[in-house]
């Protein structure tokens, strides 16, 4: 089974903010990787948070996230305005987990409101 945590975040998010958002997801079980929009994969806070948690970073191209749009649970107006999809976290998680992946549920917004996370799983 592949377990992917997708994360969407504002550029104002700090390393502590992203680590807390990812850590809250990991409290419910192990993950194999963290995925986000390719243009944000190198964000210093994102890289540091994933490294701190020992998770591989998977950059997801915009086209791959767009392809996941019909499978998303959440429709954030902010995300639609910025990216044309309802949830970066959900789309990135599904795309990175691979074909046949399913979401565990809708995205979760971090306590500080600066990040969202979603989990997708794919059975072998």
């Amino acid at each position: 089974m592949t377990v992917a945590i997708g994360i969407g975040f504002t550029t104002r998010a700090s390393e502590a903010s992203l680590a807390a958002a990812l850590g809250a997801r990991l409290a419910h079980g192990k993950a194999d990787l963290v995925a986000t929009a390719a243009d944000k994969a190198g964000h210093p806070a994102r890289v540091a948070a994933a490294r701190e948690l020992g998770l591989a970073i998977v950059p997801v191209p915009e086209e791959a996230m767009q392809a996941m749009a019909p499978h998303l649970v959440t429709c954030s107006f902010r995300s639609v305005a910025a990216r044309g999809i309802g949830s970066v976290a959900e789309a990135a998680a599904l795309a990175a987990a691979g074909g046949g992946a399913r979401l565990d549920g809708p995205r979760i917004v971090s306590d500080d409101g600066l990040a969202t996370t979603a989990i997708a799983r794919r059975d072998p």
Side-chain angles (χ1 to χ4, degrees):
M1 175 179 291
T2 300
V3 179
I5 298 176
I7 189 164
F9 58 95
T10 158
T11 55
R12 295 186 330 267
S14 67
E15 177 184 342
S17 174
L18 296 178
L22 293 170
R25 281 297 190 166
L26 290 171
H28 299 285
K30 175 185 157 306
D32 299 302
L33 56 94
V34 176
T36 197
D39 64 328
K40 287 194 172 183
H43 187 279
R46 162 77 170 68
V47 171
R51 186 180 310 125
E52 179 182 317
L53 296 168
L55 295 170
I57 298 170
V58 175
V60 179
E62 198 71 30
E63 312 81 57
M65 290 196 307
Q66 293 293 331
M68 297 298 110
H71 309 288
L72 304 182
V73 177
T74 304
C75 186
S76 159
F77 295 114
R78 183 177 289 159
S79 183
V80 170
R83 300 272 182 174
I85 54 174
S87 170
V88 169
E90 292 176 12
L94 284 168
R102 67 190 189 294
L103 289 169
D104 275 3
R107 72 187 180 132
I108 294 175
V109 180
S110 64
D111 290 341
D112 63 8
L114 299 177
T116 61
T117 57
I119 294 180
R121 298 176 192 276
R122 181 178 53 85
D123 294 321

